[in-house]
């Protein structure tokens, strides 16, 4: 009997070791692009043309980051990115809470149809909307304004937010809202003082995912913006791109600085993303 238990324990130990080896291998694959980015950002442009995956710089070029920060107008683009993404996150959370409550709790004729149409937004590729949106913005005079980015950022983030919010909302007891009505609460007080605090996990998830999805967005920004007034962080890379030559080392430094806020947010709040998505999927 003890021999069988010993063999079983050996198999369990081997299985754990194999699992750890696989997880470490996957982690290395996931982390390597970030290591590669930082490695190239600390080398000179001439040292990048190598046959190896990584560069061993003769001298670490910290000046790449200084040049990226100053000549790349990093602070200006950073301010725009935080402002636009912050407003997008607020609007997505605000609208998704109200829309989810209207479609899931309020009884009206087209509630299911509206919910379906909003969720269908997850199937629309960004590229298909670039030209029609540009034509509409041109007619309305919205090109090269903050609204040119804010509207599509909110629109493309809203379906996913609706999916998560509605899933969480179904787990909130209806009796709480009925009791609030008996106490004389209006619809807005019910939504924002009673229901919203119970949606904190989904709100955290929506905030993080909206921020990460829009932080490095460049296609729409490059299509709708022409002046530097509202340009975001990805445009900082173009400051070091010339017609005949480019400063690749500084471009890598800019990309490292651009990725840093998103990486920090993801590392700190990763557990909220995993928890929120899992709970929303189960409850939905």
């Amino acid at each position: 009997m003890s021999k069988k238990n010993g063999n079983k324990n050996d198999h369990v130990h081997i299985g754990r070791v194999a699992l750890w080896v696989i997880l470490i291998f996957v982690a290395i694959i996931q982390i390597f692009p970030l290591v590669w980015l930082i490695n190239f950002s600390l080398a000179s442009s001439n040292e990048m043309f190598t046959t190896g995956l990584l560069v061993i710089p003769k001298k670490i070029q910290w000046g790449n980051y200084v040049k990226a920060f100053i000549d790349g107008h990093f602070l200006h683009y950073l301010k725009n990115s935080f402002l636009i993404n912050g407003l997008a996150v607020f609007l997505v959370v605000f609208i998704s809470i109200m829309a989810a409550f209207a479609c899931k709790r309020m009884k009206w004729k087209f509630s299911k149809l509206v919910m379906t149409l909003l969720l269908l937004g997850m199937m629309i590729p960004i590229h298909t909307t670039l030209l029609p949106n540009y034509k509409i913005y041109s007619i309305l005079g919205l090109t090269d304004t903050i609204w040119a980015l804010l509207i599509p950022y909110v629109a493309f983030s809203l379906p996913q937010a609706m999916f998560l919010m509605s899933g969480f909302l179904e787990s909130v007891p209806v009796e709480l809202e009925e009791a609030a009505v008996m106490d004389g609460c209006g619809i807005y007080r019910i939504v924002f003082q009673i229901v919203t605090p119970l949606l904190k996990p989904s709100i955290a998830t929506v905030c993080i995912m909206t921020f990460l999805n829009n932080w490095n967005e460049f296609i729409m920004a490059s299509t709708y913006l022409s002046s530097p007034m509202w340009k975001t962080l990805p445009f900082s890379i173009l400051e070091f791109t010339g017609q005949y030559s480019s400063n690749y080392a500084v471009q890598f430094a800019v990309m490292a600085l651009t990725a840093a806020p998103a990486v920090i947010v993801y590392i700190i709040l990763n557990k909220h993303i995993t928890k929120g998505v899992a709970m929303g999927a189960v409850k939905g």
Side-chain angles (χ1 to χ4, degrees), residues 17-131:
V17 171
L19 178 61
W20 274 104
V21 170
I22 294 172
L23 292 177
I24 292 172
F25 179 72
V26 172
I28 292 173
I29 294 176
Q30 296 293 327
I31 295 173
F32 179 77
L34 185 61
V35 175
W36 178 78
L37 177 64
I38 296 173
N39 174 250
F40 274 57
S41 69
L42 295 174
S44 65
S45 294
N46 295 329
E47 292 174 323
M48 292 187 177
F49 300 98
T50 176
T51 56
L53 291 176
L54 297 176
V55 177
I56 301 177
K58 296 178 180 178
K59 182 181 178 181
I60 296 179
Q61 303 293 327
W62 295 109
N64 292 338
Y65 284 89
V66 176
K67 193 169 185 178
F69 195 85
I70 298 174
D71 295 344
H73 306 99
F74 186 81
L75 285 180
H76 173 70
Y77 293 137
L78 181 67
K79 179 198 71 174
N80 289 343
S81 289
F82 272 120
L83 176 62
I84 294 172
N85 278 277
L87 289 173
V89 168
F90 172 77
L91 289 173
V92 168
V93 171
F94 183 74
I95 296 172
S96 63
I97 290 174
M98 293 194 298
F101 186 87
C103 292
K104 288 293 183 179
R105 287 291 199 259
M106 302 175 71
K107 305 298 182 184
W108 48 293
K109 188 174 181 180
F110 299 107
S111 60
K112 291 184 178 179
L113 176 62
V114 171
M115 183 72 179
T116 302
L117 291 175
L118 288 173
L119 293 180
L120 283 175
M122 290 189 288
M123 302 174 61
I124 301 176
I126 293 176
H127 304 82
T128 61
T129 66
L130 290 177
L131 181 58

Side-chain angles (χ1 to χ4, degrees), residues 150-191:
L150 198 56
I151 293 173
Y153 284 1
V154 172
F156 280 99
S157 300
L158 194 57
Q160 189 179 45
M162 272 288 296
F163 177 77
L164 292 172
M165 288 293 183
S166 60
F168 269 84
L169 188 60
E170 288 183 347
S171 68
V172 177
V174 182
E175 289 76 14
L176 290 175
E177 299 161 29
E178 294 174 349
V181 172
M182 295 292 292
D183 290 338
C185 290
I187 183 67
Y188 296 106
R189 190 175 177 186
I190 292 173
V191 173

